[in-house]
Amino acid sequence: MATINPERLLRRLRVLAEIGRAPDGRLVRLAASYADKLGRDALVAWLQNAGLDIKIDRIGNIFGIWAPKGVDERSPVMIGSHIDTVIDAGALDGCYGVLGALEVVETLREAGFVPRRPIALAAFTNEEGVRYAPDMMGSLVYAGGLDVDEALAKVGVDGTVLGEELARIGYAGSTEPGFLVPSAYVELHIEQGPILEHEGYVIGAVDNLQGISWQKVTLDGVANHAGTTPMSMRRDACYAAALTIAFINDLARNSDSSSVATVGSMRIEPNAINVIPSRAVFTVDLRDPDERRLRMMEDALAAYLRGLPMKTGARVSVERLARFEPVRFDERIVRMVEQAAARRRLPCRRMTSGAGHDAQMIARMAPSAMIFTPSIAGVSHNPEEATAEVDLVAGANVLLDVVCDLASDAEARP
Ligand SMILES: [Zn+2]
C-alpha cells in the first residue's frame, strides 16, 4: 500500500498559510486579491514541478492535469478544493484539499502508478464568497449553474469587479468552464465541526450535504419615546425581531431532525437607548439535510411572520438571499472512502456536511463525495483552526486510495 509523503504535505500547508499574512498577523487571502495571486502562483509552481499540464478557465479556476499518453482526456478523476480564505483564516480550510490532492498525484507518479483515466487537480475560484457573492462561485460556474459572464461582472463588497480583478492578477484564463466533465469528483476537507473529534473518528465519509436557506427579514415599526409611550401602544421593531429569533431557535431546537437555525447578523434603527426601534433588519440561516424538512422550517417561519403584524404592529418584508437544496453524494464513491479507511484501520463514520463546499456544485455534473478529517474543538474560519498532523496524513492517504480505485476503473461510466 503506497502512502503519501507526510513532510511534503505538511510543509506545503505551512508555506501556503504564510502567503497573504497581513502585517497584523492575520491570514487574509480573499478571492482575486493580490494575496490570492501570490497563493495561486505558489500553487501553479508546485503543479508545474509535479509535471502537470496547467489550465486556467475563464472564471479563474486552476487545473493541473495528468493525462498519460493513450488515455481518454475527457473524463478525468477530479480532486481538489479552493485556496481563497475568509478574513483572519486558519491554514486548512480548502488548502488541505488542494495540497492533499497534489500530494496524492505526486505519490502516485513516484510509485509508477499508471492511471487508466486522467487525474485532474482543481482549485476553484472564490469558494468563500467573502468578497464576491455567491460563495462556491468557481465550482458553480464550472458546473453550469451560473453564467460565466454574469459571474465575472459581480461587484465585490469593496466595489471591485471580479472579472477585472482576475485579469489584474493574471488569472483570467481562456478555457471555457466545464471543459472537462469529471467521471468522479472527490474533495478532501477538514470537518469544520466537532463531530469526528467528539466521537473519536478519524475519517468522515460524507454522504450528503445539507440544504441551505438564507433570507433577510426587515421589520418596520414606529420610533417613539421610550419613556412616554405605553407598552400597549408601541410598534417596536426590535421586540418583533426578538420574538422571531426566539421562534426559529425553538423551531430548530424542538425539531426531531438535525435542523439548525441562526440569526447571525442584525441591525436596529435608530439604535439609541431611549428610542423605541423603528426598524430591525436581520438574516436567517436555516439548514437541514432533508429538503422536505427544510421547506417545513421555511414555511413555519413564513407563517409566523404573517402573524407578526397582528401581534406587534410591525410590518414585515422578506428577501431571499440564497437557496441550495440538500445534496446526496455518490454511494459508490462514499463506499470507496469507507473501504479505504477500513483497510488503513482508521475509524470512519458516514456523515452530513454542515457547511457548503465546491463538491456540492460539482455534484451537479459528476458523481461526487467528500472525505472529512477532525477539526480540533470543531473550530474553523478562525486562526485557531487545526487538525492533528497524523489525521491530516490519514485523510490524504484515504484520498490516495480512493483516487487509485477511481483511476483504475476505466470501464465504469457515471
Ligand atoms: Zn472550504
Side-chain angles (χ1 to χ4, degrees):
M1 203 181 314
T3 55
I4 61 117
N5 179 335
E7 287 73 35
R8 187 167 56 190
L9 171 63
L10 297 171
R11 177 172 46 79
R12 285 190 184 137
L13 282 167
R14 282 192 293 268
V15 170
L16 190 51
E18 290 312 311
I19 298 176
R21 212 165 266 287
D24 62 4
R26 299 191 308 171
L27 174 60
V28 187
R29 222 167 39 236
L30 300 185
S33 66
Y34 186 70
D36 188 24
K37 170 199 157 51
L38 297 179
R40 286 164 173 265
D41 289 350
L43 175 64
V44 167
W46 284 325
L47 298 180
Q48 276 165 341
N49 271 331
L52 302 181
D53 181 20
I54 311 287
K55 286 262 178 358
I56 316 284
D57 73 10
R58 292 181 58 211
I59 194 68
N61 296 323
I62 299 172
F63 299 89
I65 301 160
W66 174 23
K69 276 203 173 32
V71 303
D72 181 356
E73 284 226 9
R74 284 167 304 178
S75 54
V77 174
M78 191 175 281
I79 47 178
S81 191
H82 62 96
I83 65 165
D84 68 310
T85 74
V86 296
I87 296 166
D88 202 11
L92 300 175
D93 180 358
C95 301
Y96 174 48
V98 173
L99 296 181
L102 173 58
E103 183 52 47
V104 162
V105 168
E106 292 202 271
T107 300
L108 289 174
R109 293 187 73 130
E110 288 162 4
F113 178 78
V114 182
R116 297 182 63 187
R117 47 172 84 241
I119 298 175
L121 181 151
F124 293 105
T125 295
N126 187 31
E127 193 274 344
E128 296 290 1
V130 175
R131 195 174 178 207
Y132 304 96
D135 52 358
M136 298 167 278
M137 187 192 278
S139 48
L140 180 63
V141 168
Y142 192 81
L146 173 64
D147 178 71
V148 61
D149 292 306
E150 195 182 317
L152 290 170
K154 295 278 182 192
V155 177
V157 289
D158 53 3
T160 57
V161 177
L162 174 59
E164 293 170 7
E165 287 292 277
L166 279 173
R168 188 177 69 90
I169 67 167
Y171 282 90
S174 54
T175 307
E176 277 308 314
F179 70 105
L180 295 170
V181 178
S183 55
Y185 176 76
V186 190
E187 182 166 350
L188 175 66
H189 207 285
I190 53 167
E191 181 197 343
Q192 303 182 279
I195 294 169
L196 290 175
E197 182 190 59
H198 189 246
E199 296 183 0
Y201 291 96
V202 174
I203 299 296
V206 184
D207 62 0
N208 74 106
L209 189 145
Q210 65 184 348
I212 304 176
S213 163
W214 280 2
Q215 302 176 66
K216 185 166 92 178
V217 179
T218 302
L219 303 178
D220 283 303
V222 175
N224 212 332
H225 197 291
T228 60
T229 317
M231 296 307 284
S232 63
M233 295 175 68
R234 294 177 178 216
R235 292 170 62 191
D236 182 334
C238 188
Y239 172 61
L243 289 177
T244 311
I245 294 167
F247 173 78
I248 57 176
N249 273 272
D250 290 344
L251 191 68
R253 278 169 199 276
N254 298 331
S255 137
D256 52 8
S257 78
S258 53
S259 309
V260 287
T262 307
V263 172
S265 165
M266 178 162 162
R267 187 181 88 229
I268 63 170
E269 295 171 13
N271 201 23
I273 189 168
N274 57 357
V275 182
I276 297 165
S278 58
R279 172 169 271 198
V281 183
F282 57 94
T283 56
V284 178
D285 174 317
L286 303 174
R287 305 191 195 207
D288 196 291
D290 182 276
E291 173 64 18
R292 197 177 46 85
R293 286 191 306 229
L294 182 57
R295 216 173 299 141
M296 274 166 51
M297 276 209 294
E298 291 176 320
D299 291 346
L301 171 61
Y304 188 83
L305 289 172
R306 275 196 299 278
L308 208 56
M310 273 291 282
K311 208 179 210 161
T312 65
R315 271 189 297 118
V316 179
S317 60
V318 179
E319 184 190 341
R320 186 178 274 303
L321 300 177
R323 182 62 159 81
F324 291 115
E325 282 189 20
V327 174
R328 281 239 135 254
F329 286 131
D330 183 72
E331 179 61 27
R332 175 169 154 263
I333 305 177
V334 175
R335 236 179 287 131
M336 284 179 178
V337 173
E338 289 179 312
Q339 284 159 2
R343 283 196 301 268
R344 290 186 183 266
R345 301 188 192 290
L346 299 165
C348 171
R349 64 162 273 172
R350 287 192 172 220
M351 63 190 302
T352 295
S353 172
H357 293 290
D358 291 311
Q360 91 190 66
M361 299 309 173
I362 302 304
R364 296 170 177 222
M365 71 188 311
S368 302
M370 297 188 72
I371 303 165
F372 276 180
T373 56
S375 290
I376 294 172
V379 173
S380 185
H381 283 188
N382 182 310
E384 301 299 312
E385 173 182 279
T387 295
E389 290 186 349
V390 59
D391 293 345
L392 291 173
V393 172
N397 275 323
V398 170
L399 178 65
L400 173 73
D401 295 353
V402 173
V403 170
C404 249
D405 288 350
L406 289 167
S408 305
D409 174 19
E411 305 319 314
R413 289 281 181 273

